[in-house]
Amino acid sequence: MSPRPAEGAEAPKGPSKSELKKRAKEEEKARKAAEKAAKQAELEAQKAAAEVDFATEFYGKLPLNQSQSRPRRERVQIASLTPEHDGQTVLVRARVQTSRAQGSKMVFLNLRQRIDSVQALLVLTPGKVSKQMLKWAAGLQTESIVLAEGVVKKSPEPIKSATVSDVELHLTQLHLISGLDTKLPFTVDDANRPQENTEQNAADQEQEAEAPEEAEAEEGDEGGIKIKRVLLKTRLDNRVVDLRTQTNQAVFRLQAAIGSFFREYLEGQGFIEIHSPKLQGAATESGASVFEVSYFKGKAYLAQSPQLAKQMAIASDFERVYEIGPVFRAENSFTHRHMTEFIGLDLEMAIEEHYHEVMELLDGLFLHLFRGLKQKYAKEIETVRKQFPADEFKWREGPEGTLKLSFREAVDLLVADGVPREDLDDIDTTNEKRLGRIVREKYDTDYFIIDKFPMALRPFYTMPDPEDPTLSNSYDFFMRGEEILSGAQRVHDAKLLSEQMRQKGINPESMKTYLQAFQLGCPPHGGGGIGLERVLMLFLKLNNIRRASLFPRDPKRLEP
Amino acid sequence: MSPRPAEGAEAPKGPSKSELKKRAKEEEKARKAAEKAAKQAELEAQKAAAEVDFATEFYGKLPLNQSQSRPRRERVQIASLTPEHDGQTVLVRARVQTSRAQGSKMVFLNLRQRIDSVQALLVLTPGKVSKQMLKWAAGLQTESIVLAEGVVKKSPEPIKSATVSDVELHLTQLHLISGLDTKLPFTVDDANRPQENTEQNAADQEQEAEAPEEAEAEEGDEGGIKIKRVLLKTRLDNRVVDLRTQTNQAVFRLQAAIGSFFREYLEGQGFIEIHSPKLQGAATESGASVFEVSYFKGKAYLAQSPQLAKQMAIASDFERVYEIGPVFRAENSFTHRHMTEFIGLDLEMAIEEHYHEVMELLDGLFLHLFRGLKQKYAKEIETVRKQFPADEFKWREGPEGTLKLSFREAVDLLVADGVPREDLDDIDTTNEKRLGRIVREKYDTDYFIIDKFPMALRPFYTMPDPEDPTLSNSYDFFMRGEEILSGAQRVHDAKLLSEQMRQKGINPESMKTYLQAFQLGCPPHGGGGIGLERVLMLFLKLNNIRRASLFPRDPKRLEP
């Protein structure tokens, strides 16, 4: 929770001349502002002394909550307010999204709780709401947390500025629970503005991620009104405020929902959850992108996936296992879809006859997920769409089912679209996207499976095809032309496994305990790993994976 | 997945003289065995040639499953077999737990799937089961995985050696799916034997954990029969076999169940799941026990808990959040209850009036968990009890509810029991256990809460008591006299937080982004963190936390 680790060995420099000049200017400005405020305060104090405030009990800052008392007074959720509550007095804890005086007799507030908001007003009323109270309320800083008591009133006309449009709160008391000790880096209103969801935008963001220091808040001009765009870097540097937007409140409810549907489906299919260690004794799978940890007098390594552990769980007879947990990749890349730490949704299962049992189960899992999100999270998806407009995510239902292409068929589609066949030993990310567009046009789906990848493209633990040893029993799943799952039948025979390790340049001795699991008898099995943030990003078309992670990590970001 | 990191800088030594001697002996032994086997095989071949085998199709090793075909033949679960299936032919994939010939006409097998097993027999039958088939079946190595076809028959008397006691399988076909390439380190039968569950045993295990090299398999004498006890180190070194015991199959179903009840309860209370990064920019909370990671050109640190992140999620308006994930502690200790990596069940929530809202919710969570385990997992608990006999876990139900003591009351109980008051500024683990015994005697419960810990014993982010600043709004939960949850109201005011950091010797500058979350306005909140493996260990009285972790990690164990 401190500044980023230094990049290189350079000592920190002192402030520059222009920096010093800027500071002096700021100090001068602050001094003047303070003088002005003091004068103002004096005037107001004189004025206030002339008028006795009958409302002092009804507003003001509460003492710091240290659990002094427990009156057990019910507090309501904004989302639950309806015209049926007309006339009732309610108590609400909420953020002040906006607060503005209208003339000298009224203050309008927008009170917010997560993705919901309601309009509240304070009207000068003898014996109830004083001038001082109005003034105090109008001066409340945006994002303050207040405890508001008010009477619910049916609204004469729909209120467009709040999510609750048919009632408003006529406040009788307003107290500050928690204020701000600092200036807001940007307002939640600004952070919540619609983005143009274009490829250009996505490209900008990638560039921005690569050179984050250059990106700053940007002013735009829209319909004559100056508006502020808050760039991704600024958002991530001030993630606590950024996360308060209705968009982000919805994004992370959807993230939790994906995990929840994943579990629900798998538990219904007889899977149990496991937790495998992230600290490993050796750099496994691929040594290049592993983080090294100082482990007492020795070294440990962070797991790049639970692959080995979940296979060992199968050798241990757990039959069907899943895990939700962090995976770590020490890849020094700054794309829109890479992070150094992300959440893996992993599963592994014994197969009876054929690896398509796994592939079909995974397909069932995704359909369960897509249907669940559409049916139960329409409000959250709608909320995100307001900021990130996107075509609705499409998949195929009914008897024809999910589109399944072999790797060869996928290559043929790309060749027919004009890609030279000699570029297609592998399908790179550009061609993946292109394939996604071709498939959408031809098959009207954003979701499909590619089966039977060439063995050369897959890791050592992949089972080769029984007839063509250049092919493998492996598959990738795609959403909007990006890979979101990779899986396969695994080799469960220790001898073949050692052989394939050697072919890929791995010394079997370095993975002894893993190999031992198969020497001790292991059933045929297969599985897959899903990137949680990728599924979320692609379902919602957020364009940058950092938006799908609460506190994202990349090679240059370890904060907040 | 390779040998442990070297302890110190010593270069690996070549084999010693005695090692070389031992190897030569082993080689000689192997050569003789091979000769003997060759002779035997020759004899048998001659004999077999004399008798034509009519059953070759009905047994033998199957080719490596590479998904050659998919006949879609149903395979059943052993647990589902009942006398109602009498006369039906079924297909089962299972482990061979035991296989023994009885006379020359019959072979008995015990077939196992997870916590279930069934007796199978193969009877010499003209045209169906040949001599050769019997011989092959009798020679199947323990732990082989077979595909068995057989007819379900009601058993004339209860079969004690299998969990399915009322039917047996009369085999018609038996094929080997996956054999073993190595000798078993111990049998699953041996690993599943009852343990004496004494304090002495627990103490031995601690010692064993501290000097793991000294611990080896041990032979005992019980009722005249030589039996093997498999010690913890041996089990953990060969965890893949150890995990196959019915005990461990049940233990890890119960582990998954605890996570599941945790989620179920919290989601019912409006919590959402978050995933916070384990890679941190700075060593937080307490610098001493943090693992350091090489992070590109700089350093990162592994999170000791999601404490800071979940509080920031509260400042971000998520209101009620939980997380299930690994936490890392670089503590060089070898007790029965410490690991360097374990699973934290963490939650944090905004409070309306008083921190007892959180404490009561946590209590509700534990009651939900205990009731759920008792009601829905009786079979698994019973399975574990067979190996680890223990008093049933007791808690208080009904209007009196969970026992809640203040720290002061807990101290008074210990003083009344004879502990000198001057030893009780803190309650150490010995006194915790003593308190557990006192409470069980006096209140008939293994589960209780201690509230209002002295401020001096709690971390900087703990909210002080509103009246007595030497006390704090914090609590611990206990099971069988051991702490399983620690929690508190947190400080949500940035100024008080900085002050308390300084008092505990932490430079607020080093935790800038964390502090910023509170400067930007944060509601009063509280929470707690639960150790998943501790709850599992104590509920089942497993005596050593390593038994409650799939692949445990301690300062000397990074494998398997």
Side-chain angles (χ1 to χ4, degrees):
Chain A
M1 303 276 154
S2 78
R4 291 188 203 125
E7 300 278 319
E10 249 180 299
K13 289 177 193 161
S16 67
K17 254 189 192 175
S18 65
E19 178 70 9
L20 286 170
K21 216 168 159 185
K22 201 174 148 200
R23 279 195 204 164
K25 240 184 182 171
E26 274 166 11
E27 274 161 25
E28 173 64 13
K29 212 169 150 189
R31 201 184 49 75
K32 277 190 182 163
E35 267 174 24
K36 200 175 156 189
K39 262 187 203 162
Q40 186 85 14
E42 202 180 320
L43 274 168
E44 273 165 28
Q46 288 169 1
K47 216 169 145 190
E51 286 180 63
V52 179
D53 185 0
F54 52 80
T56 49
E57 300 271 298
F58 306 149
Y59 72 98
K61 188 172 182 353
L62 294 174
L64 179 70
N65 181 323
Q66 291 183 260
S67 301
Q68 289 87 340
S69 68
R70 197 174 180 189
R72 293 176 188 263
R73 239 191 108 184
E74 201 205 342
R75 298 182 185 183
V76 303
Q77 291 296 303
I78 285 172
S80 74
L81 297 174
T82 67
E84 282 172 33
H85 297 90
D86 191 64
Q88 287 178 21
T89 297
V90 296
L91 194 63
V92 174
R93 170 172 55 85
R95 292 261 179 205
V96 175
Q97 171 120 349
T98 57
S99 169
R100 62 184 169 83
Q102 186 161 356
S104 60
K105 295 187 176 167
M106 215 188 282
V107 173
F108 280 94
L109 296 109
N110 194 301
L111 299 181
R112 191 187 78 231
Q113 280 175 344
R114 302 204 255 191
I115 70 175
D116 308 295
S117 61
V118 68
Q119 177 166 279
L121 55 160
L122 203 58
V123 186
L124 190 69
T125 314
K128 290 186 174 163
V129 176
S130 65
K131 268 189 192 169
Q132 293 91 336
M133 184 173 176
L134 273 184
K135 191 161 193 300
W136 180 83
L140 275 171
Q141 194 177 356
T142 302
E143 291 300 299
S144 297
I145 299 171
V146 293
L147 186 63
E149 184 197 80
V151 180
V152 180
K153 293 263 163 110
K154 260 190 236 178
S155 166
E157 57 194 66
I159 300 158
K160 281 180 194 159
S161 59
T163 62
V164 174
S165 62
D166 46 7
V167 301
E168 53 189 18
L169 277 183
H170 289 237
L171 299 182
T172 48
Q173 296 201 21
L174 188 64
H175 289 98
L176 181 67
I177 293 175
S178 185
L180 278 70
D181 292 340
T182 183
K183 218 185 121 217
L184 274 179
F186 47 81
T187 69
V188 171
D189 261 349
D190 281 339
N192 210 39
R193 280 186 213 292
Q195 298 234 342
E196 279 168 71
N197 206 349
T198 58
E199 294 290 324
Q200 183 54 42
N201 204 321
D204 285 354
Q205 281 150 13
E206 280 194 38
Q207 199 262 319
E208 170 192 3
E210 258 181 285
E213 302 315 317
E214 287 160 31
E216 280 306 324
E218 197 181 67
E219 292 209 359
D221 203 316
E222 214 163 72
I225 308 159
K226 280 263 177 209
I227 62 142
K228 265 191 185 161
R229 280 190 220 289
V230 189
L231 293 191
L232 189 55
K233 184 197 174 295
T234 317
R235 290 173 185 272
L236 296 180
D237 287 345
N238 300 279
R239 191 63 163 159
V240 166
V241 179
D242 185 41
L243 287 172
R244 292 182 197 160
T245 62
Q246 283 150 318
T247 305
N248 275 331
Q249 290 291 318
V251 165
F252 289 95
R253 278 205 208 183
L254 289 164
Q255 192 198 60
I258 293 171
S260 201
F261 286 125
F262 177 80
R263 266 189 227 104
E264 182 179 82
Y265 186 80
L266 293 180
E267 290 183 2
Q269 299 283 333
F271 282 73
I272 71 160
E273 185 174 21
I274 58 166
H275 301 285
S276 67
K278 304 309 156 206
L279 291 167
Q280 302 283 349
T284 50
E285 292 195 65
S286 104
S289 54
V290 177
F291 287 114
E292 191 185 275
V293 180
S294 294
Y295 198 75
F296 305 100
K297 286 177 189 160
K299 296 278 172 211
Y301 303 88
L302 293 179
Q304 289 169 287
S305 84
Q307 182 61 33
L308 310 185
K310 69 186 181 168
Q311 285 191 262
M312 288 164 84
I314 297 300
S316 307
D317 284 357
F318 287 101
E319 286 284 316
R320 295 182 156 205
V321 298
Y322 74 87
E323 175 160 2
I324 299 182
V327 299
F328 303 92
R329 304 278 163 95
E331 282 165 13
N332 201 1
S333 59
F334 294 89
T335 77
H336 77 285
R337 63 177 196 164
H338 285 95
M339 295 191 290
T340 50
E341 178 178 352
F342 64 90
I343 297 297
L345 306 176
D346 270 272
L347 66 87
E348 202 72 24
M349 63 186 256
I351 63 180
E352 300 297 348
E353 298 174 343
H354 198 285
Y355 78 99
H356 281 176
E357 293 161 26
V358 194
M359 199 175 90
E360 287 164 13
L361 184 136
L362 284 165
D363 183 31
L365 169 63
F366 275 100
L367 295 179
H368 177 75
L369 173 65
F370 299 150
R371 289 173 193 145
L373 289 174
K374 192 176 177 176
Q375 283 161 19
K376 296 185 189 158
Y377 289 85
K379 184 180 171 184
E380 284 79 6
I381 294 169
E382 191 42 47
T383 302
V384 178
R385 287 264 184 286
K386 281 182 197 155
Q387 184 165 10
F388 294 95
D391 295 335
E392 204 182 338
F393 185 81
K394 278 192 173 179
W395 69 93
R396 302 207 301 191
E397 288 277 358
E400 67 180 349
T402 299
L403 178 68
K404 293 170 187 113
L405 299 170
S406 69
F407 185 83
R408 240 170 239 159
E409 287 166 339
V411 165
D412 288 345
L413 280 175
L414 283 163
V415 169
D417 198 57
V419 183
R421 193 175 286 273
E422 57 270 27
D423 295 354
L424 290 167
D425 290 340
D426 192 358
I427 300 177
D428 64 15
T429 51
T430 312
N431 281 328
E432 263 180 27
K433 287 225 162 198
R434 186 162 179 166
L435 181 64
R437 286 191 297 269
I438 299 168
V439 164
R440 195 181 216 265
E441 248 170 62
K442 195 164 173 180
Y443 299 97
D444 198 30
T445 180
D446 289 310
Y447 163 68
F448 62 97
I449 300 172
I450 299 182
D451 192 12
K452 299 261 108 180
F453 275 77
M455 192 64 201
L457 300 178
R458 310 300 278 201
F460 69 85
Y461 47 75
T462 311
M463 183 63 87
D465 178 88
E467 270 140 42
D468 182 348
T470 69
L471 294 181
S472 67
N473 292 349
S474 67
Y475 39 79
D476 278 3
F477 285 38
F478 291 81
M479 284 172 67
R480 300 196 200 262
E482 295 195 41
E483 179 251 307
I484 42 114
L485 172 145
S486 200
Q489 179 178 358
R490 326 295 187 179
V491 175
H492 60 282
D493 178 82
K495 285 195 196 82
L496 180 57
L497 198 56
S498 305
E499 207 177 286
Q500 294 198 170
M501 280 180 181
R502 267 183 232 108
Q503 276 166 20
K504 298 261 179 188
I506 297 164
N507 179 3
E509 269 299 302
S510 72
M511 300 185 80
K512 243 163 95 176
T513 57
Y514 170 69
L515 263 173
Q516 196 200 19
F518 305 99
Q519 288 163 345
L520 291 164
C522 179
H525 63 285
I530 302 166
L532 170 61
E533 295 88 349
R534 279 203 189 172
V535 172
L536 183 62
M537 165 179 81
L538 291 162
F539 189 82
L540 296 172
K541 219 165 185 296
L542 299 177
N543 292 328
N544 192 309
I545 198 149
R546 293 162 183 79
R547 292 204 179 87
S549 172
L550 199 64
F551 299 112
R553 294 291 180 256
D554 68 31
K556 289 194 176 170
R557 179 171 295 280
L558 282 165
E559 294 281 328
Chain B
M1 304 276 151
S2 77
R4 292 189 201 124
E7 301 277 321
E10 251 179 296
K13 289 176 193 162
S16 67
K17 256 191 189 171
S18 66
E19 178 70 10
L20 286 171
K21 217 171 158 183
K22 200 174 149 202
R23 280 194 206 165
K25 239 184 181 171
E26 275 166 12
E27 274 160 24
E28 173 63 14
K29 209 171 153 190
R31 201 184 49 76
K32 278 189 181 163
E35 267 174 24
K36 198 177 160 190
K39 262 187 203 162
Q40 185 86 17
E42 203 179 319
L43 274 169
E44 273 163 30
Q46 287 169 359
K47 215 171 150 189
E51 286 179 63
V52 179
D53 185 359
F54 52 79
T56 50
E57 299 272 295
F58 306 149
Y59 72 97
K61 189 173 183 348
L62 295 174
L64 179 70
N65 182 324
Q66 290 184 261
S67 302
Q68 289 87 337
S69 68
R70 196 175 180 190
R72 293 177 189 262
R73 241 193 105 182
E74 200 204 343
R75 298 183 184 183
V76 303
Q77 291 295 304
I78 286 173
S80 74
L81 297 174
T82 67
E84 282 171 34
H85 297 89
D86 190 63
Q88 286 178 22
T89 296
V90 297
L91 195 63
V92 175
R93 171 173 54 83
R95 291 266 179 201
V96 174
Q97 172 122 350
T98 58
S99 169
R100 60 183 170 84
Q102 187 162 354
S104 61
K105 296 187 175 169
M106 216 189 283
V107 173
F108 280 95
L109 296 109
N110 193 300
L111 299 181
R112 191 186 77 229
Q113 279 176 346
R114 300 206 255 193
I115 69 175
D116 308 297
S117 61
V118 68
Q119 178 166 281
L121 56 160
L122 203 58
V123 184
L124 189 69
T125 315
K128 290 185 175 164
V129 176
S130 65
K131 268 187 189 170
Q132 293 90 337
M133 183 173 176
L134 273 184
K135 190 163 195 296
W136 179 83
L140 275 172
Q141 195 178 356
T142 303
E143 293 299 300
S144 297
I145 299 171
V146 293
L147 186 63
E149 185 197 79
V151 181
V152 180
K153 294 263 163 111
K154 259 189 239 180
S155 167
E157 54 196 67
I159 300 160
K160 281 181 193 158
S161 59
T163 62
V164 175
S165 62
D166 47 6
V167 301
E168 53 188 20
L169 278 183
H170 290 237
L171 299 183
T172 48
Q173 295 202 22
L174 188 64
H175 288 98
L176 181 66
I177 294 176
S178 185
L180 277 71
D181 291 341
T182 183
K183 217 186 121 218
L184 274 179
F186 47 82
T187 68
V188 171
D189 260 349
D190 281 338
N192 209 38
R193 281 186 212 292
Q195 297 234 342
E196 280 167 72
N197 205 350
T198 59
E199 294 290 324
Q200 183 52 42
N201 203 323
D204 284 354
Q205 280 150 12
E206 279 194 41
Q207 201 262 320
E208 172 192 3
E210 257 180 286
E213 301 315 319
E214 289 161 29
E216 279 306 325
E218 198 182 66
E219 292 209 0
D221 203 315
E222 215 164 71
I225 307 159
K226 280 261 178 211
I227 62 143
K228 264 191 186 163
R229 281 190 218 291
V230 189
L231 294 191
L232 189 54
K233 184 197 174 293
T234 316
R235 289 172 185 271
L236 297 180
D237 286 346
N238 300 281
R239 190 65 162 160
V240 166
V241 180
D242 186 41
L243 287 172
R244 291 181 197 160
T245 62
Q246 283 150 319
T247 305
N248 275 332
Q249 290 292 318
V251 165
F252 290 95
R253 277 205 208 183
L254 289 164
Q255 192 199 60
I258 293 172
S260 200
F261 286 124
F262 178 79
R263 268 189 225 105
E264 181 180 82
Y265 185 81
L266 294 179
E267 289 183 2
Q269 299 282 334
F271 282 73
I272 71 161
E273 185 174 20
I274 59 166
H275 300 285
S276 67
K278 305 309 156 207
L279 291 167
Q280 302 283 349
T284 50
E285 293 194 64
S286 102
S289 55
V290 177
F291 286 114
E292 191 184 274
V293 181
S294 295
Y295 198 75
F296 304 101
K297 287 176 190 163
K299 295 278 172 214
Y301 303 89
L302 292 179
Q304 290 170 289
S305 85
Q307 183 61 33
L308 310 184
K310 68 186 182 168
Q311 286 191 259
M312 289 163 84
I314 296 300
S316 306
D317 284 357
F318 287 101
E319 286 285 316
R320 295 182 157 205
V321 298
Y322 75 87
E323 176 160 1
I324 298 181
V327 299
F328 303 92
R329 304 278 163 94
E331 283 164 14
N332 201 0
S333 59
F334 293 89
T335 77
H336 76 286
R337 62 177 197 165
H338 285 94
M339 293 191 291
T340 50
E341 178 177 353
F342 62 91
I343 297 298
L345 306 176
D346 271 272
L347 66 85
E348 202 72 24
M349 64 185 256
I351 63 181
E352 299 297 347
E353 298 174 343
H354 198 285
Y355 78 98
H356 281 175
E357 293 161 25
V358 194
M359 199 174 90
E360 287 163 14
L361 183 137
L362 285 165
D363 183 31
L365 169 63
F366 275 100
L367 296 179
H368 178 75
L369 173 65
F370 300 149
R371 289 173 194 146
L373 289 175
K374 191 177 178 176
Q375 284 162 16
K376 295 184 189 159
Y377 289 86
K379 183 180 170 185
E380 284 79 6
I381 294 169
E382 191 43 47
T383 302
V384 179
R385 288 266 184 284
K386 281 182 199 155
Q387 184 165 11
F388 295 95
D391 296 335
E392 203 181 340
F393 185 80
K394 277 192 172 181
W395 69 93
R396 302 206 302 190
E397 287 280 355
E400 66 180 350
T402 300
L403 177 68
K404 293 172 187 110
L405 299 169
S406 69
F407 185 83
R408 241 171 239 159
E409 288 165 337
V411 165
D412 288 345
L413 280 176
L414 283 164
V415 169
D417 199 55
V419 183
R421 193 174 286 274
E422 57 271 26
D423 294 353
L424 291 167
D425 290 341
D426 193 357
I427 300 177
D428 64 14
T429 52
T430 311
N431 281 328
E432 264 180 27
K433 286 227 161 197
R434 185 163 180 165
L435 182 65
R437 285 192 297 269
I438 299 169
V439 164
R440 195 181 215 263
E441 248 169 62
K442 194 163 172 181
Y443 300 99
D444 198 31
T445 179
D446 288 311
Y447 163 66
F448 62 97
I449 300 172
I450 300 182
D451 192 12
K452 298 260 112 185
F453 274 76
M455 192 64 201
L457 301 179
R458 309 300 277 200
F460 69 86
Y461 47 74
T462 311
M463 183 64 88
D465 178 88
E467 270 139 42
D468 181 348
T470 69
L471 294 181
S472 68
N473 292 348
S474 68
Y475 39 80
D476 277 3
F477 285 38
F478 291 81
M479 283 171 70
R480 299 197 202 259
E482 295 194 42
E483 180 249 308
I484 41 116
L485 172 144
S486 201
Q489 180 178 359
R490 325 295 187 180
V491 175
H492 60 281
D493 178 82
K495 285 194 197 84
L496 179 57
L497 198 55
S498 306
E499 207 175 285
Q500 294 196 169
M501 279 179 182
R502 267 182 233 108
Q503 276 166 20
K504 299 259 180 188
I506 297 165
N507 179 3
E509 270 299 301
S510 72
M511 300 185 80
K512 242 162 97 176
T513 57
Y514 171 68
L515 264 173
Q516 196 199 19
F518 305 99
Q519 288 163 345
L520 291 163
C522 180
H525 63 286
I530 301 166
L532 170 61
E533 295 88 348
R534 279 203 189 172
V535 173
L536 183 62
M537 165 181 79
L538 291 163
F539 188 82
L540 296 172
K541 218 163 185 298
L542 299 177
N543 291 330
N544 192 309
I545 197 148
R546 291 162 184 80
R547 292 205 179 87
S549 173
L550 200 64
F551 299 112
R553 293 292 181 254
D554 67 32
K556 290 195 176 170
R557 180 172 294 281
L558 282 165
E559 292 283 329

